């Protein structure tokens, strides 16, 4: 397993995340409806809005997962925020970065992952909108486009006046 | 070739579910499939079609008789759109009787629940392949 990287500008990224005043806040319908919509659109058992904190990823919204956070070093989303584009892992069992990851070898037994970085206007990726399945899957260009548009709706909510940070 | 840029393919998207409508519109725009005009009701679609012409219509039939009446108006040249306007519809329920009526109205595609963005965008691509002249 390759641990999720700590980004060179991680302190600035964490500042941007904390300025949202959203970590450890209650669930909100404005995020939950997007996550539920994504789960139905992609027939995906697990969908998350994951925010990558210093040592953990914390889930602002989730479908299909009981846990409200996991360690950052084993997180797929920690890898996803390190790249500008959507990270797609069609079969984690065949990917050296993840094949022996405890999230793959034990519950929730991730095999498929697609994570779209939540890129704020400041340029910092604070987390992802991600899709997870327990079986390998393909993900085509149209799927990427749909996930990218749903990701932007999440970013719009993070930026929206009157949101949790105001 | 005339040397002038072709007008973008204009689509009227009449769907009440805001998240579905917005996502379909965003995806179609991001893929440069269409110049999408969004409305949330049949009444709003009807008003727009009295003053503007479109190259295709994607309409939710949830409004029932009013939605079917709009299709009749199109085919009877009572809107600004061509009577041959390519049309796709969303239908929560579709009986044999409904299908027969939609065939009569030359509806090209019927999408049943659950409505998926991917299916709707694929339908827009199919409607694009059937260009019509404006009325």
């Amino acid at each position: 397993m390759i641990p999720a990287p700590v980004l060179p500008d991680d302190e600035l990224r964490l500042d941007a995340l904390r300025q949202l005043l959203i970590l450890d806040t209650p669930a909100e319908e404005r995020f939950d409806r997007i996550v539920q919509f994504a789960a139905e659109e992609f027939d995906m058992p697990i969908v998350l809005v994951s925010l990558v904190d210093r040592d953990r990823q914390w889930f602002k919204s989730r479908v299909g997962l009981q846990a409200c956070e996991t360690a950052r070093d084993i997180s797929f989303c920690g890898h996803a925020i390190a790249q500008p584009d959507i990270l797609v892992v069609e079969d984690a069992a065949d990917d050296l970065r993840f094949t022996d990851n405890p999230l793959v070898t034990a519950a929730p037994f991730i095999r498929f992952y697609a994570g779209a970085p939540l890129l704020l206007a400041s340029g910092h990726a604070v987390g992802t909108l991600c899709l997870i399945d327990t079986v390998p899957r393909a993900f085509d260009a149209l799927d990427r486009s749909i996930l990218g548009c749903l990701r932007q709706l999440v970013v719009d909510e993070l930026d929206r006046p009157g949101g949790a940070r105001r | 070739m005339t040397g002038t840029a072709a007008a973008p393919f204009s689509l009227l998207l009449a769907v009440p579910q805001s998240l579905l409508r917005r996502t379909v519109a965003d995806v179609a725009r991001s893929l440069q499939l269409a110049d999408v005009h969004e409305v949330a009701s049949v009444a709003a679609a009807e008003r727009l079609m009295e003053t503007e012409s479109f190259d295709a219509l994607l309409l939710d039939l949830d409004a029932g008789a009013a939605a079917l009446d709009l299709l009749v108006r199109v085919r009877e040249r009572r809107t600004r759109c061509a009577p041959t306007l390519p049309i796709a519809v969303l239908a929560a329920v579709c009986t044999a009787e409904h299908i027969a009526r939609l065939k009569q109205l030359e509806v090209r595609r019927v999408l049943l629940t659950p409505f998926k963005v991917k299916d709707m965008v694929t339908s827009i691509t199919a409607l694009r392949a059937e260009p019509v002249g404006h009325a």
Side-chain angles (χ1 to χ4, degrees):
Chain A
M1 182 192 95
I2 298 175
V6 174
L7 308 179
D9 64 345
D10 212 52
E11 287 304 320
L12 292 173
R13 192 192 66 78
L14 288 168
D15 282 347
L17 171 60
R18 293 196 173 130
Q19 282 172 25
L20 296 175
L21 299 179
I22 197 170
L23 287 172
D24 300 305
T25 56
E28 292 180 67
E29 193 271 343
R30 62 196 179 112
F31 295 106
D32 291 347
R33 71 190 187 106
I34 299 170
V35 164
Q36 186 62 45
F37 184 89
E40 291 168 9
E41 171 66 29
F42 293 103
D43 292 319
M44 205 63 68
I46 300 173
V47 179
L48 308 165
V49 169
S50 168
L51 300 171
V52 180
D53 199 359
R54 185 185 303 278
D55 299 315
R56 62 173 179 157
Q57 61 171 346
W58 175 79
F59 309 131
K60 174 61 183 172
S61 181
R62 63 190 194 274
V63 163
L65 193 67
Q66 286 297 316
C68 61
E69 63 183 38
T70 70
R72 176 175 176 175
D73 61 344
I74 62 170
S75 71
F76 283 59
C77 298
H79 289 270
I81 63 167
Q83 62 176 63
D85 298 327
I86 292 171
L87 171 64
V88 176
V89 180
E90 293 193 339
D91 188 353
D94 274 349
D95 189 314
L96 288 177
R97 291 170 295 179
F98 304 109
T99 185
D100 56 350
N101 183 304
L103 298 174
V104 175
T105 58
F109 299 105
I110 296 173
R111 292 292 293 274
F112 171 85
Y113 173 91
L118 303 174
L119 202 63
L120 301 182
S122 63
H124 296 111
V126 292
T128 71
L129 171 63
C130 69
L131 315 172
I132 291 170
D133 204 342
T134 54
V135 294
R137 289 178 61 150
F139 204 68
D140 65 21
L142 184 49
D143 292 323
R144 284 176 181 264
S145 183
I146 295 168
L147 179 59
C149 288
L150 291 173
R151 170 263 307 275
Q152 191 54 48
L153 296 180
V154 174
V155 172
D156 290 348
E157 288 302 329
L158 290 173
D159 280 337
R160 189 167 63 89
R165 66 199 174 104
R166 306 286 164 132
Chain B
M1 284 182 62
T2 64
T4 57
F9 178 80
S10 64
L11 172 82
L12 180 57
L13 179 63
V15 173
Q17 306 94 317
S18 62
L19 189 49
L20 179 65
R21 184 182 66 246
R22 183 170 172 190
T23 309
V24 169
D26 286 350
V27 172
R29 289 176 187 131
S30 71
L31 297 175
Q32 297 182 309
L33 285 178
D35 178 15
V36 182
H37 300 254
E38 299 177 55
V39 292
S41 68
V42 171
E46 196 162 350
R47 279 196 300 275
L48 206 51
M49 292 171 82
E50 284 171 2
T51 57
E52 290 186 42
S53 180
F54 299 93
D55 296 314
L57 170 66
L58 180 46
L59 173 73
D60 191 334
L61 291 182
D62 195 36
L68 283 177
D69 185 56
L70 178 60
L71 301 187
V72 171
R73 288 170 60 85
V74 170
R75 296 308 183 218
E76 292 181 348
R77 300 174 184 268
R78 290 193 282 149
T79 73
R80 289 289 302 273
C81 298
T84 52
L85 182 74
I87 297 172
V89 297
L90 307 180
V93 183
C94 210
T95 63
E97 188 183 354
H98 279 121
I99 289 288
R101 181 67 178 133
L102 293 174
K103 273 186 181 170
Q104 220 175 30
L105 290 166
E106 297 179 72
V107 169
R108 312 286 171 88
R109 283 191 168 216
V110 179
L111 301 176
L112 300 175
T113 51
F115 305 135
K116 299 290 182 88
V117 175
K118 194 169 193 175
D119 296 337
M120 292 172 68
V121 172
T122 301
S123 293
I124 293 170
T125 304
L127 293 176
R128 260 175 69 103
E130 304 172 31
V132 303
H134 291 172

